[in-house]
Amino acid sequence: MTKQYRITLLPGDGIGPEILGVAVDVLQLVGKQCDIEFTFEKALVGGAAIDATGEPLPQETLDRCRQSDAVLLAAIGGYKWDNLPRHQRPETGLLGLRAGLNLFANLRPATILPQLIDASSLKREIVEGVDIMVVRELTGGIYFGQPKGIFETETGEVRGVNTMAYTVQEIDRIAKVGFETAQKRQGRLCSVDKANVLDVSQLWRDRVTAMAENYPNVELTHLYVDNAAMQLVRAPKQFDTIVTGNLFGDILSDAAAMLTGSIGMLPSASLSADGPGVYEPVHGSAPDIAGQDKANPLAQVLSAAMMLRYGLNEPESASKIEEAVTKVLDAGYRTGDIMSEGMKAVGCSGMGEALLSVLS
Ligand code: IPM
Ligand code: MG
């Protein structure tokens, strides 16, 4: 029987529409091969939504996302919208999507591909074999804590305030994702906090430590975030799964991504407890190369694979897509960001064609 899924597409800004187009072509072909029928519906988010409606996340977009089985997002933002007030910034749309769909768990893999090892800025022996999953809490912490804002005090001083706060329930649910993710990988979980200074981190550490009893086959360690940053660039192979809060995860996942030297290759998944997840590349909207057929669509394509694996429980078609990516790299196809000597230079659409041809 043909399986049917409704996918909301959020092309967003910059290179978004180009790379998403490639992912849709790939999904359609793999769907045919695996007896899956996708219904794709586009919606506006980010700068594109600001231009059309005045706000970065129209209610209609959120409603459409809620009614779908999964959301495939490309990228948002661009110089054009950088100076708007915060409530009208593209980033606010992204944060609204995370909050609105309750996407508390963000999975960001950083895997070094053997074909691209020389793209890393670190020595080969340090990064060879790196395979890290950062599990970042995404709907709490300092990004959303109250009070927040810029206030005038009674003495007329102006103060900017954000609050890092986590409830036990918020810590427990992300810790659980961390342990379960580690269980499916190499069984090592490193929880990152700043418990030597922050009370909220002390609570975090206590809860994660207590939860370890339920996962006797997972080896739990703790690191302070500053040390974790240092260890990531010193000896990244010590890490398997990292679980951490929103801000620390934002920073560490960028550092982990850079170990691979090819941020244009990295996908991510943002998951809720019951509703649809959002799958998107780790990289941004690259407005400087938008519309020039130069973008690397592979992170978007791999995000579609994560959607199949984590969101739709279709591991077979997910693997097909991941294998196709390996094959085009083995065949030497490279977009500008991952180009090296002797390889075949292609644009975004050329990479898409290469994928379709190894798939058919
Ligand atoms: C990310 C980004 C976002 C974040 C921005 C664009 C709001 O840096 O997804 O990591 O800070 O979470
Ligand atoms: Mg970030």
Side-chain angles (χ1 to χ4, degrees):
M1 212 187 72
T2 308
K3 280 164 288 180
Q4 297 189 320
Y5 298 113
R6 286 179 69 176
I7 311 296
T8 299
L9 300 175
L10 303 177
D13 309 315
I15 59 171
E18 302 162 60
I19 58 174
L20 193 56
V22 171
V24 167
D25 290 345
V26 167
L27 279 170
Q28 242 143 4
L29 180 58
V30 171
K32 259 189 219 136
Q33 296 169 343
C34 298
D35 222 3
I36 300 173
E37 196 180 303
F38 297 105
T39 310
F40 296 109
E41 291 175 322
K42 275 191 195 157
L44 293 168
V45 72
I50 296 170
D51 286 350
T53 71
E55 41 181 342
L57 180 66
Q59 185 62 39
E60 197 191 321
T61 295
L62 196 53
D63 291 343
R64 179 154 304 174
C65 290
R66 285 191 177 126
Q67 287 154 17
S68 56
D69 296 306
V71 179
L72 196 55
L73 168 68
I76 56 144
Y79 318 122
K80 186 178 168 191
W81 306 283
D82 274 353
N83 295 317
L84 290 172
R86 184 169 308 283
H87 71 276
Q88 278 185 335
R89 295 269 295 264
E91 290 85 351
T92 305
L94 190 61
L95 296 174
L97 194 65
R98 290 173 182 172
L101 296 177
N102 212 0
L103 304 170
F104 72 93
N106 182 215
L107 307 187
R108 297 188 167 186
T111 312
I112 190 131
L113 298 163
Q115 300 93 338
L116 302 180
I117 202 155
D118 294 319
S120 176
S121 53
L122 298 189
K123 290 191 203 111
R124 172 180 277 267
E125 59 267 32
I126 301 225
V127 290
E128 198 159 36
V130 160
D131 178 9
I132 301 172
M133 179 70 89
V134 178
V135 178
R136 168 187 175 192
E137 200 289 326
L138 203 59
T139 51
I142 197 165
Y143 274 54
F144 292 93
Q146 294 290 346
K148 66 194 267 180
I150 299 172
F151 306 105
E152 198 168 326
T153 65
E154 280 168 12
T155 55
E157 233 184 341
V158 177
R159 274 178 95 215
V161 180
N162 287 91
T163 303
M164 191 185 280
Y166 274 117
T167 64
V168 162
Q169 183 259 346
E170 285 174 317
I171 298 168
D172 285 0
R173 69 177 179 176
I174 193 69
K176 187 160 175 271
V177 175
F179 279 104
E180 285 173 3
T181 305
Q183 227 166 15
K184 291 187 209 134
R185 293 171 46 90
Q186 292 172 45
R188 288 180 292 124
L189 180 66
C190 178
S191 171
V192 174
D193 61 40
K194 189 69 188 173
N196 51 345
V197 176
L198 303 177
D199 299 307
V200 53
S201 279
Q202 188 59 54
L203 181 64
W204 178 284
R205 190 173 283 222
D206 293 346
R207 297 305 300 182
V208 174
T209 304
M211 193 172 286
E213 276 177 30
N214 306 338
Y215 299 90
N217 50 356
V218 174
E219 181 196 317
L220 174 68
T221 53
H222 302 272
L223 282 182
Y224 299 135
V225 61
D226 47 350
N227 189 15
M230 202 158 73
Q231 297 301 328
L232 261 180
V233 287
R234 190 188 72 83
K237 274 181 265 188
Q238 68 185 284
F239 295 103
D240 169 28
T241 306
I242 292 175
V243 66
T244 189
N246 206 341
L247 180 62
F248 301 157
D250 178 46
I251 299 165
L252 293 182
S253 65
D254 266 21
M258 254 306 136
L259 296 172
T260 72
S262 38
I263 197 164
M265 297 295 304
L266 298 174
S268 76
S270 303
L271 309 173
S272 83
D274 34 32
V278 173
Y279 303 84
E280 62 178 305
V282 166
H283 63 70
S285 62
D288 51 323
I289 57 163
Q292 300 173 34
D293 196 28
K294 285 185 182 164
N296 181 353
L298 295 177
Q300 181 78 71
V301 169
L302 290 169
S303 301
M306 279 191 105
M307 174 182 88
L308 290 164
R309 189 180 298 285
Y310 293 97
L312 307 178
N313 201 15
E314 296 284 356
E316 188 202 337
S317 45
S319 300
K320 256 185 197 273
I321 293 181
E322 288 155 1
E323 281 158 23
V325 170
T326 306
K327 281 187 197 157
V328 295
L329 292 174
D330 284 341
Y333 293 103
R334 300 283 188 276
T335 44
D337 59 314
I338 52 173
M339 186 60 193
S340 60
E341 223 181 292
M343 297 293 140
K344 296 174 205 154
V346 286
C348 183
S349 55
M351 188 61 98
E353 283 154 25
L355 284 166
L356 295 179
S357 93
V358 300
L359 276 165
S360 41

